[in-house]
Amino acid sequence: MFALLLELTQHVGRHAAGVRAGRWAASRDFCYLETPLLELAGLTFGVIGPGRIGSAAARIAEAFGMRVLTAGRAEGRAGLERVLRAADVVSLHCPLTADTRHLINATTLEWMKPGAFLLNTSRGPLIDEAALAAALHAGRIAGAGLDVLSVEPPPANHPLFGAPNCLITPH
């Protein structure tokens, strides 16, 4: 999960490719940057589903200097909305139930900040993938990092494959 976040915010792969291509060697500065980096310290990390794994993710986020907010079953929709509206990074750690299927959908994506990132290493069907693809294409959120999808392996025409700033790793 944090590897996906670091790639989205620090562009590790892009920088490594630039080094291999000789752009750092050609740089006059010791600090070579392909793109601006987003510092995690000071950002708000939202955990949806603060169970054992979500709590562990929260501790890692705190080690990066992030402020942590959580929302669980007890807070219901109000807690979900509170976290989605405030978080710079939202990380899903929910079981898949009838209540959590498409928990992230067109409506809840609208609650997120335009600069926010969505991470899902929990269950693919927590996200309405067509709605996420539309939000990414519209620039409604900054990016998504997923290692689960609703169908695995995904079909070749999956809507998120062409979405900008969407990193998908195989479950």
Side-chain angles (χ1 to χ4, degrees):
M1 159 192 25
F2 280 94
L4 289 167
L5 179 58
L6 290 173
E7 179 57 35
L8 285 166
T9 61
Q10 307 300 303
H11 312 285
V12 176
R14 185 179 304 171
H15 285 95
V19 169
R20 284 191 300 278
R23 290 191 289 275
W24 188 23
S27 174
R28 294 187 321 198
D29 194 343
F30 76 95
C31 187
Y32 158 76
L33 295 175
E34 285 274 325
T35 60
L37 308 179
L38 178 63
E39 180 65 46
L40 296 182
L43 296 183
T44 300
F45 187 80
V47 176
I48 308 301
R52 183 176 50 82
I53 296 171
S55 295
R59 288 190 298 276
I60 295 168
E62 287 172 339
F64 277 106
M66 300 176 85
R67 176 176 162 244
V68 173
L69 297 175
T70 63
R73 234 176 294 169
E75 295 94 353
R77 195 150 177 94
L80 174 67
E81 183 173 355
R82 174 183 54 83
V83 170
L84 291 179
R85 288 191 184 280
D88 300 297
V89 177
V90 174
S91 189
L92 304 178
H93 300 278
C94 307
L96 179 60
T97 68
D99 292 334
T100 61
R101 180 175 296 278
H102 289 184
L103 183 70
I104 303 300
N105 54 53
T107 299
T108 56
L109 284 162
E110 285 291 323
W111 294 342
M112 293 177 68
K113 296 177 181 182
F117 296 94
L118 177 65
L119 303 175
N120 187 12
T121 58
S122 186
R123 302 290 182 264
L126 295 176
I127 297 175
D128 175 340
E129 294 163 342
L132 176 57
L136 289 166
H137 281 289
R140 182 63 202 98
I141 65 171
L146 316 167
D147 94 334
V148 291
L149 295 172
S150 59
V151 174
E152 296 174 346
N157 65 344
H158 195 282
L160 289 170
F161 287 175
N165 299 321
C166 185
L167 300 177
I168 303 169
T169 56
H171 189 153

